[in-house]
Amino acid sequence: MTYPISLNTLLLVALISLPALAMAQEQPTATDAPAPATDMGALYDLQRGEAGNPPLDEKLGRQLPADTSVLTMETGGQRFHALRQEAERAEPWGWILLLPDPGMGEAWTQQVEALRFDLARHGWLTLALEPPQPDLPTLPERSLPVMKSFSQASEPTANTPPSPASSGAVPASADDDTNPPAPFAERFNERIALALEQLPQQENQSHILLAFGRAASWSAAYITAHPELDASLILLDPLADTQPNAPMLSELWEPLGSTRVLDLYHAPLPGYPAAASAARIRKAQAQRAKMERYRQAKIAPPFTGWQPQMPWLTQTVRGVIKSQIVEPLEQARALEKYALPTEPNQTKPGTVR
């Protein structure tokens, strides 16, 4: 026996199924999911901390090609890494120590990737050094308000121990036994010194420190403190570091007077609107310091983020290295090699000098 379905029943079923149908249509598919937006305003602040991330050793082992040597070093109780890429040339031009921006965190490998591979392909031994973590900003000291407590019992009984506040005792802190890390300058210099021990010190080869972002002033300060290194300095998009006691490039130009300094910058640089004006100020400061070996160049096109292939950046860096570092050194060595020895002044026999 069949029962006729009423119009009211049909309407009720349709009303119940409409919300479910609408929810199913609103669920995005995997192909419709929007791509994550790139935070262009934090290019030099890519440090990320995510729970469950594998150790950096394991990441580097999976991501890097087989011809990259991962050096694990330790100094001052801190463990860090360096990536060594051999030069694809029988006789390397020399070595280049790549010093990433300290604020990059684990993204420092992305920042140096394009340059360290390109420079190795064109005859340079490269070593990219993991930077230390920046110092935390110090909070200004402030005086605490006077705190008083009152109760009905003004005098403590014999069986009541005095409270820490009334006896003047300071409770022990859980952090008293922990040793704070050394200042950033000390950790930065120790890492560079240990990295330099892994690089050959051969004659007739160029030695270069290439500093990114906020590593610029720290690297410049290291070179001024170690003139025996006889290294050239390349600054890539220099940024002022706001850490306590951070060196300032404006105070280092004069001590860098005998150093070959190449100042390369992007303008415009996302997240750094004053890149062009800051570059102009650096150039003026270097000229006032009479730095004859200082050169500045703008990198085109505008910066769009760190990528595995950055042809404009790598070509510019290789070009200025060849014209401003390699060729002048080769010319100086050629002049020294083929210079005629000076003959001593000859005097007639019997002449009293």
Side-chain angles (χ1 to χ4, degrees):
M1 178 179 296
T2 59
Y3 297 93
I5 300 176
S6 64
L7 181 60
N8 293 335
T9 304
L10 292 175
L11 291 175
L12 180 61
V13 173
L15 291 175
I16 295 175
S17 61
L18 280 176
L21 180 60
M23 291 178 61
Q25 292 178 349
E26 291 177 359
Q27 294 295 329
T29 61
T31 57
D32 296 336
T38 303
D39 186 4
M40 301 302 293
L43 294 173
Y44 284 89
D45 294 287
L46 297 180
Q47 182 176 346
R48 298 290 184 266
E50 298 179 1
N53 276 350
L56 185 57
D57 303 60
E58 184 180 345
K59 287 183 178 180
L60 295 176
R62 293 198 310 258
Q63 297 173 356
L64 299 175
D67 61 344
T68 295
S69 300
V70 181
L71 309 182
T72 301
M73 296 178 281
E74 185 174 348
T75 179
Q78 294 198 346
R79 189 164 171 261
F80 56 96
H81 304 83
L83 308 180
R84 180 184 176 116
Q85 199 72 25
E86 300 295 336
E88 298 181 14
R89 190 173 185 266
E91 292 292 334
W93 297 109
W95 53 255
I96 300 178
L97 180 60
L98 303 173
L99 301 169
D101 187 284
M104 293 295 289
E106 290 188 4
W108 66 273
T109 57
Q110 303 172 23
Q111 190 176 49
V112 301
E113 183 175 1
L115 278 172
R116 76 181 190 90
F117 282 117
D118 184 84
L119 292 170
R121 283 193 294 266
H122 289 83
W124 291 91
L125 166 64
T126 63
L127 187 69
L129 183 61
E130 179 182 0
Q133 293 294 324
D135 289 337
L136 296 176
T138 56
L139 298 177
E141 296 183 359
R142 53 171 297 186
S143 58
L144 297 177
V146 177
M147 302 180 67
K148 297 181 180 180
S149 59
F150 301 90
S151 62
Q152 292 181 352
S154 58
E155 296 291 337
T157 60
N159 296 328
T160 303
S163 62
S166 61
S167 62
V170 179
S173 173
D175 297 336
D176 286 347
D177 297 334
T178 61
N179 295 323
F184 180 85
E186 181 178 339
R187 292 180 285 131
F188 185 86
N189 294 340
E190 287 178 349
R191 293 194 181 196
I192 291 186
L194 189 56
L196 292 175
E197 295 179 2
Q198 319 306 319
L199 295 171
Q201 303 298 327
Q202 298 180 2
E203 296 182 358
N204 300 328
Q205 288 190 352
S206 300
H207 305 155
I208 300 174
L209 269 62
L210 198 162
F212 296 74
R214 286 167 288 200
S217 59
W218 299 101
S219 304
Y222 186 89
I223 286 184
T224 58
H226 297 83
E228 72 281 358
L229 186 59
D230 191 25
S232 302
L233 177 63
I234 300 178
L235 309 177
L236 182 56
D237 291 327
L239 294 173
D241 200 330
T242 57
Q243 293 187 74
N245 302 320
M248 299 177 62
L249 283 174
S250 59
E251 300 175 356
L252 295 172
W253 294 128
E254 187 172 351
L256 289 171
S258 60
T259 304
R260 297 184 184 274
V261 179
L262 307 180
D263 184 352
L264 310 179
Y265 69 99
H266 289 90
L269 182 64
Y272 188 30
S277 60
R280 177 185 57 79
I281 294 173
R282 292 194 304 270
K283 185 176 181 179
Q285 292 172 346
Q287 290 175 342
R288 287 194 292 269
K290 299 180 180 180
M291 294 183 62
E292 298 180 356
R293 296 182 174 183
Y294 173 90
R295 298 292 184 272
Q296 187 179 85
K298 179 181 176 181
I299 305 173
F303 184 73
T304 58
W306 299 108
Q307 303 167 10
Q309 300 293 332
M310 302 180 69
W312 285 99
L313 173 65
T314 55
Q315 291 174 14
T316 303
V317 171
R318 279 191 284 110
V320 295
I321 288 178
K322 181 180 179 180
S323 62
Q324 303 299 329
I325 296 178
V326 175
E327 292 181 353
L329 289 177
E330 288 182 340
Q331 293 173 3
R333 290 164 185 163
L335 292 174
E336 182 180 354
K337 180 179 180 180
Y338 296 106
L340 296 176
T342 56
E343 297 181 358
N345 295 330
Q346 296 182 359
T347 59
K348 295 181 181 181
T351 303
V352 179
R353 302 182 62 182

